[in-house]
Amino acid sequence: MRIKGKNFDGEGGEEEEQKLVVGYALTLKKKKSFLQPEFERLACKKGILFVAIDVNLPLSDQGPFDIILHKLLGKEWGDIVEDYRQTHPEVIVIDPPYAIQHLHNRQSMLQDVVDLNLSDFHGRVGVPKQMVIVKDTLSIPDEVAKAGLKLPLVAKPLVVDGSAKSHELFLACDWSSLSELEPPLVLQEFVNHDGILFKIYIVGDAIKVVRRFSLSNVNQCQLAKVPGIFPFPRVSSAAASADDADLDPRVAELPPRPLLERLSKELRHRLGLRLFNIDMIREHGTRDIFYVIDINYFPGYGKMPDYEVIFTDFLLTFKKKKYRAISCED
């Protein structure tokens, strides 16, 4: 997009300013939390223009766009974006639908962490022992015992489809209650982590870590006293922030920066994604043993401190590439 202005000598004329046009396709809820006024103002000052995509019109008839930013569910939308990517290779799509789909299944989302084998790089990163239950509720206790999983267990829906139900987590504290769970689901061993979870936001090359309160440690004595299944508290809201809490320094200490840089770089490459967050915990009684328990695409960046600056800088990297391409053409 070109904007009329004045020449630098003050004479009337036409000055060409290249705007970076970002077409976005977001739910109303996502738009409200992400495109906050302060962010839009900062982006505008830096030459970034956000334009809403009308999902009821052909995507190719809209624009032109430099970037498409999207988080809509459904195969139909995914096919539309994928077709657009093929016919408009000059447009950067953040992110490819096939790559996002990988994080919609909790069985596959953590496999890339397992494959990394970060066992001796400023600490160890792994995944809690887990298994998938597809059907047959009554056989869950036997299947879990056969797999060697230990109580308590965190029960998560297998499919992440953006609904509130797909984010409902439960803590199962005894064997008999496992039959009350509704497949398909993932059962993951609960790892004591002193009630603190690290949310690691990835925005391109940038990394931002915040602390969130989580479930307190659970011992065998407590398990015996509280049989049953209990809802797992949500830790995504800003109200759950533990960044300003008076914590034991050993608990509050963030994961080593070199470890996070290596992990994020590897996952960006393996997942093929630029926007995601990693939920990580530190095992109780250790300093350098960490577990990744979840990965989310295009999380609630509006809750991330300084997200306006971080995301604007991320988009500006594409503006610089655009200018370089134009200079080469000239």
Side-chain angles (χ1 to χ4, degrees):
M1 178 175 288
R2 305 181 188 281
I3 297 179
K4 291 184 178 181
K6 289 187 177 181
N7 294 329
F8 292 110
D9 60 6
E11 297 295 329
E14 196 174 275
E15 176 188 340
E16 292 187 350
E17 178 186 344
Q18 290 291 331
K19 283 280 187 180
L20 188 75
V21 183
V22 180
Y24 65 88
L26 306 170
T27 64
L28 289 176
K29 181 180 179 182
K30 191 69 175 178
K31 177 187 174 183
K32 183 178 179 180
S33 67
F34 177 67
L35 287 178
Q36 296 180 22
E38 185 177 344
F39 176 36
E40 287 199 87
R41 283 194 295 269
L42 176 61
C44 184
K45 287 181 181 179
K46 299 291 185 177
I48 300 169
L49 178 66
F50 290 103
V51 178
I53 291 173
D54 188 338
V55 296
N56 296 311
L57 297 175
L59 188 52
S60 294
D61 292 348
Q62 301 179 64
F65 303 118
D66 296 301
I67 296 174
I68 286 183
L69 196 64
H70 70 107
K71 190 180 182 182
L72 295 178
L73 297 172
K75 185 178 184 303
E76 182 179 359
W77 170 252
D79 290 343
I80 289 171
V81 175
E82 194 57 46
D83 289 344
Y84 186 86
R85 287 181 69 235
Q86 300 303 320
T87 56
H88 296 76
E90 76 284 0
V91 178
I92 297 165
V93 175
I94 305 176
D95 277 308
Y98 69 85
I100 299 171
Q101 189 65 32
H102 187 70
L103 295 187
H104 289 170
N105 184 299
R106 284 196 167 97
Q107 181 180 16
S108 62
M109 72 162 58
L110 300 182
Q111 187 57 48
D112 287 297
V113 179
V114 176
D115 295 341
L116 283 178
N117 190 29
L118 289 180
S119 58
D120 190 23
F121 189 82
H122 297 272
R124 290 162 48 192
V125 179
V127 172
K129 193 172 182 180
Q130 65 179 30
M131 67 178 297
V132 175
I133 303 294
V134 179
K135 56 183 180 179
D136 196 4
T137 302
L138 295 177
S139 68
I140 293 179
D142 290 337
E143 293 295 323
V144 170
K146 194 181 300 181
L149 269 65
K150 299 177 182 178
L151 295 172
L153 296 172
V154 180
K156 308 178 180 183
L158 176 61
V159 177
V160 183
D161 60 10
S163 67
K165 188 174 180 62
S166 70
H167 291 284
E168 289 180 350
L169 311 182
F170 295 90
L171 189 70
C173 298
D174 70 294
W175 294 104
S176 60
S177 64
L178 293 175
S179 298
E180 301 173 23
L181 297 170
E182 297 181 17
L185 53 84
V186 170
L187 292 177
Q188 194 177 77
E189 283 190 343
F190 177 78
V191 177
N192 280 332
H193 52 283
D194 298 310
I196 294 295
L197 177 143
F198 303 105
K199 292 195 81 71
I200 305 161
Y201 292 95
I202 309 298
V203 185
D205 295 333
I207 303 170
K208 187 77 171 181
V209 187
V210 299
R211 303 176 189 86
R212 291 282 187 265
F213 285 115
S214 181
L215 200 64
S216 301
N217 294 343
V218 179
N219 58 42
Q220 293 301 315
C221 182
Q222 291 172 317
L223 283 178
K225 294 179 180 178
V226 287
I229 297 176
F230 303 93
F232 207 94
R234 292 291 301 272
V235 297
S236 60
S237 69
S241 174
D243 283 332
D244 297 324
D246 184 17
L247 301 171
D248 183 325
R250 293 169 296 181
V251 174
E253 182 182 12
L254 298 177
R257 191 70 184 186
L259 178 67
L260 296 182
E261 290 174 350
R262 171 77 180 277
L263 177 63
S264 64
K265 180 180 179 180
E266 292 286 351
L267 286 180
R268 284 200 314 271
H269 174 70
R270 289 169 178 264
L271 296 172
L273 298 172
R274 297 179 178 94
L275 304 178
F276 60 96
N277 88 282
I278 305 164
D279 287 349
M280 176 185 281
I281 57 176
R282 174 191 285 115
E283 185 174 355
H284 167 70
T286 75
R287 185 179 182 183
D288 60 358
I289 300 178
F290 301 94
Y291 292 92
V292 174
I293 58 174
D294 221 351
I295 304 176
N296 305 288
Y297 177 67
F298 204 151
Y301 286 114
K303 302 168 189 173
M304 179 181 78
D306 304 318
Y307 97 95
E308 301 93 342
V309 174
I310 292 172
F311 218 100
T312 298
D313 288 345
F314 166 65
L315 293 175
L316 285 176
T317 61
F318 299 104
K319 187 177 183 182
K320 292 174 183 176
K321 292 176 182 176
K322 177 182 176 182
Y323 277 136
R324 285 199 295 268
I326 291 172
S327 298
C328 290
E329 290 173 3
D330 293 341

